[in-house]
Amino acid sequence: MHRANIAAVIVAAGKGLRAGGPVPKQYASLAGRSVLARALDAFLGHASITHVVTVIAPGDEPLYAAAVGAAPEKLMAPVPGGSTRQASVLCGLEALAPFSPSAVLIHDAARPFAAPDLVDRCIAALEKHAGAIAALAMSDTVKVADADKRITQTLDRSLLWRAQTPQAFRFHDILSA
């Protein structure tokens, strides 16, 4: 895989209702900067990332502009998302298609702390695999309950992982999927 042409899709089209704030959580302030701006940092500052596109909800353009401010050259204009995360990701992928990147990292805008080494590991995983995700091993005990909320099973946590982002894919594979 050619490491010099890797793109990122930052998915920011959600409403962030669970956060309960006056604006969607990706636009909320976190230590003086928006959550979205902090999420973009890991990708805009990465030498292997050539293009970054943010997918936003239609009508969020003013929130986006206020949250991001002056944009570096590799940050493309935002694109409107769809009614689901999957549809929004597709909008971002289609916006990147003219650049024909070798790979793409898909990241949730509400995750502001992706470390550069995490991005490196996701990209490196594409040398051997068509896709890779960031994940955390489960440390909690997980129970299964029936309809009456009675515990019926304890799952083996050594087999369970919490999916995170970024998620990395060979670009043409994920676009065609």
Side-chain angles (χ1 to χ4, degrees), residues 21-159:
V23 296
K25 61 187 166 188
Q26 62 270 30
Y27 300 117
S29 180
L30 177 63
R33 292 181 65 219
S34 71
V35 171
L36 172 59
R38 292 182 180 282
L40 286 165
D41 286 347
F43 304 94
L44 293 173
H46 198 283
S48 295
I49 305 291
T50 57
H51 296 86
V52 178
V53 64
T54 308
V55 183
I56 64 173
D60 278 0
E61 292 82 4
L63 289 170
Y64 175 84
V68 174
E73 186 175 319
K74 68 170 86 174
L75 182 60
M76 299 168 54
V79 298
S83 60
T84 65
R85 184 182 192 279
Q86 182 178 359
S88 292
V89 168
L90 179 59
C91 293
L93 294 173
E94 289 172 341
L96 291 169
F99 303 101
S100 195
S102 58
V104 63
L105 281 77
I106 301 168
H107 186 68
D108 293 334
R111 294 184 186 268
F113 301 118
D117 68 311
L118 177 61
V119 174
D120 288 337
R121 290 193 315 269
C122 288
I123 292 170
L126 294 177
E127 298 291 336
K128 294 182 180 180
H129 308 284
I133 66 169
L136 297 172
M138 289 288 292
S139 59
D140 295 331
T141 300
V142 180
K143 304 288 187 180
V144 176
D146 63 18
D148 294 322
K149 298 185 180 175
R150 289 185 304 239
I151 295 171
T152 61
Q153 183 181 1
T154 300
L155 299 180
D156 180 355
R157 68 176 158 218
S158 71
L159 304 174

